[in-house]
């Protein structure tokens, strides 16, 4: 039986890049992005131990989290922008302008923090209160065309405090705006700026790249993918979690990973005569989980 609980909203605000730090920018989507336009929003949830009361978090930790996020958005500004879906045959694009923001919610929960972070099976619904919902799509004009277009926010963030136990950071975003690597780049950058109290050295050494000139489409794959995706409407940008779904965390130790790599390498040498096999931790972990 799933343990249903709600959260108490403490603060609802918006976080934007620092004023004047990012010009109005339009980023066209490529055919690599198109296949994800009809995908429901992605959800990520991070837990951290934090043995302090709510008042301490609000006074000492929250200001730095919000300030560092604002600084990080100077470089990851598309997350504060919106996906625009103009009428056909115009193509969707990401648009940012001064004043755009990420919705930022702070909440408090009386749920059992240790239960939520445990490796045991638990109902997916128990975690739903910890991830934010994106604002509903809106209709807008781009300033050059009188016809209206659907405008969809790209990211929302929720911080939930478990008094004297821990905190969680829930992030909802669209895959069309960032794949796993780009999202990890964003979260690592935010963490670096927060940990260093505003030092942007990490971002300066490893900035994101939004150029699209290197992605060519001479065969018109973009149009083919868009046609297969069907009509792009606001109804596509919604998510729902099935009721009877369980989540389980599996821990695989470094020793186990090395054992798996050696076992696979030995088998391949015997059966395939493969001498230079390279195995990543990700590959053997996925294979192991798929096997069990």
């Amino acid at each position: 039986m799933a343990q249903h609980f709600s959260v108490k909203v403490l603060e609802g605000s918006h976080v934007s890049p620092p004023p004047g730090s990012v010009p109005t920018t339009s980023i066209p989507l490529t055919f690599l992005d198109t296949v994800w336009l009809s995908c429901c929003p992605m959800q990520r949830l991070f837990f951290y131990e934090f043995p302090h009361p709510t008042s301490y978090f609000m006074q000492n930790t929250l200001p730095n989290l919000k300030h560092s996020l604002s600084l990080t958005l100077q470089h990851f500004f598309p997350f504060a922008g919106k996906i625009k879906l103009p009428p056909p045959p115009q193509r969707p694009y990401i648009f940012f302008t001064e004043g755009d923001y990420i919705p930022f919610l702070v909440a408090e929960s009386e749920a059992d923090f240790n239960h939520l972070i445990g490796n045991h099976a638990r109902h997916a619904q128990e975690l739903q209160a910890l991830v934010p919902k994106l604002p509903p799509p809106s209709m807008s004009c781009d300033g050059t065309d009188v016809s209206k277009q659907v405008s969809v926010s790209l990211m929302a963030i929720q911080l939930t405090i478990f008094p004297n136990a821990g905190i969680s950071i829930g992030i909802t975003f669209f895959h069309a705006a960032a794949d796993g690597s780009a999202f990890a780049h964003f979260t690592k950058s935010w963490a670096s700026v927060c940990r260093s109290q505003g030092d942007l050295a990490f971002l300066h050494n490893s900035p994101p790249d939004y150029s699209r000139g290197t992605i060519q489409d001479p065969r018109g794959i973009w149009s083919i993918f868009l046609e297969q995706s069907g009509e792009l409407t606001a109804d596509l940008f919604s998510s729902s979690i099935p009721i009877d779904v369980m989540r389980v965390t599996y821990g695989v130790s470094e020793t186990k990973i090395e054992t798996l790599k050696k076992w696979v390498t030995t088998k391949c040498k015997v059966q395939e005569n493969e001498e230079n096999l390279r195995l990543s931790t990700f590959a053997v972990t996925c294979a192991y989980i798929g096997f069990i």
Side-chain angles (χ1 to χ4, degrees), residues 44-280:
R44 295 292 182 266
L45 187 58
F46 305 91
F47 290 97
Y48 303 90
E49 292 183 348
F50 192 80
H52 302 286
T54 299
S55 58
Y56 180 90
F57 175 85
M58 298 295 289
Q59 296 173 11
N60 298 280
T61 306
L62 181 60
N64 184 37
L65 282 168
K66 296 175 69 173
H67 178 63
S68 59
L69 175 59
S70 176
L71 295 177
T72 303
L73 288 176
Q74 292 183 75
H75 298 269
F76 291 89
F77 58 88
F79 285 133
K82 293 177 173 59
I83 284 184
K84 301 285 189 176
L85 303 177
Q90 301 178 71
R91 298 184 175 186
Y93 59 96
I94 295 175
F95 183 76
F96 173 86
T97 190
E98 180 78 19
D100 282 350
Y101 57 82
I102 291 179
F104 194 93
L105 186 71
V106 181
E108 184 181 61
S109 173
E110 296 182 356
D112 186 342
F113 182 75
N114 291 323
H115 167 73
L116 294 176
I117 66 173
N119 291 343
H120 51 266
R122 53 202 178 278
H123 286 268
Q125 281 190 317
E126 296 181 23
L127 304 175
Q128 277 301 101
L130 306 179
V131 290
K133 293 183 178 180
L134 290 168
S138 61
M139 301 297 293
S140 63
C141 298
D142 63 3
T144 60
D145 192 338
V146 294
S147 61
K148 292 186 176 181
Q149 56 187 344
V150 177
S151 182
V152 184
S153 297
L154 291 176
M155 179 176 284
I157 296 177
Q158 175 179 329
L159 271 66
T160 305
I161 309 162
F162 302 83
N164 301 307
I167 64 172
S168 68
I169 300 179
I171 304 177
T172 302
F173 68 100
F174 278 116
H175 200 312
D179 60 10
S181 178
F183 178 75
H185 190 189
F186 164 72
T187 54
K188 289 180 179 179
S189 298
W190 182 15
S192 175
V193 177
C194 182
R195 185 170 53 249
S196 63
Q197 300 288 319
D199 186 355
L200 300 179
F202 180 87
L203 281 168
H204 292 155
N205 294 331
S206 181
D209 183 6
Y210 301 114
S211 63
R212 295 294 190 266
T214 57
I215 303 176
Q216 302 297 318
D217 184 19
R219 298 181 181 273
I221 299 177
W222 202 105
S223 299
I224 297 174
F225 282 2
L226 186 60
E227 182 178 351
Q228 292 178 347
S229 298
E231 185 180 2
L232 297 175
T233 65
D235 295 336
L236 294 173
F237 298 91
S238 61
S239 62
S240 60
I241 302 297
I243 297 177
D244 297 322
V245 174
M246 304 293 291
R247 291 184 182 272
V248 182
T249 303
Y250 294 99
V252 185
S253 66
E254 183 178 355
T255 301
K256 186 67 173 180
I257 293 293
E258 293 304 318
T259 301
L260 287 170
K261 288 182 178 181
K262 292 178 181 178
W263 183 82
V264 173
T265 300
T266 301
K267 287 290 185 180
C268 289
K269 285 182 178 179
V270 173
Q271 299 178 6
E272 305 293 340
N273 194 28
E274 178 63 59
E275 296 291 338
N276 298 316
L277 182 66
R278 299 182 61 185
L279 292 172
S280 67

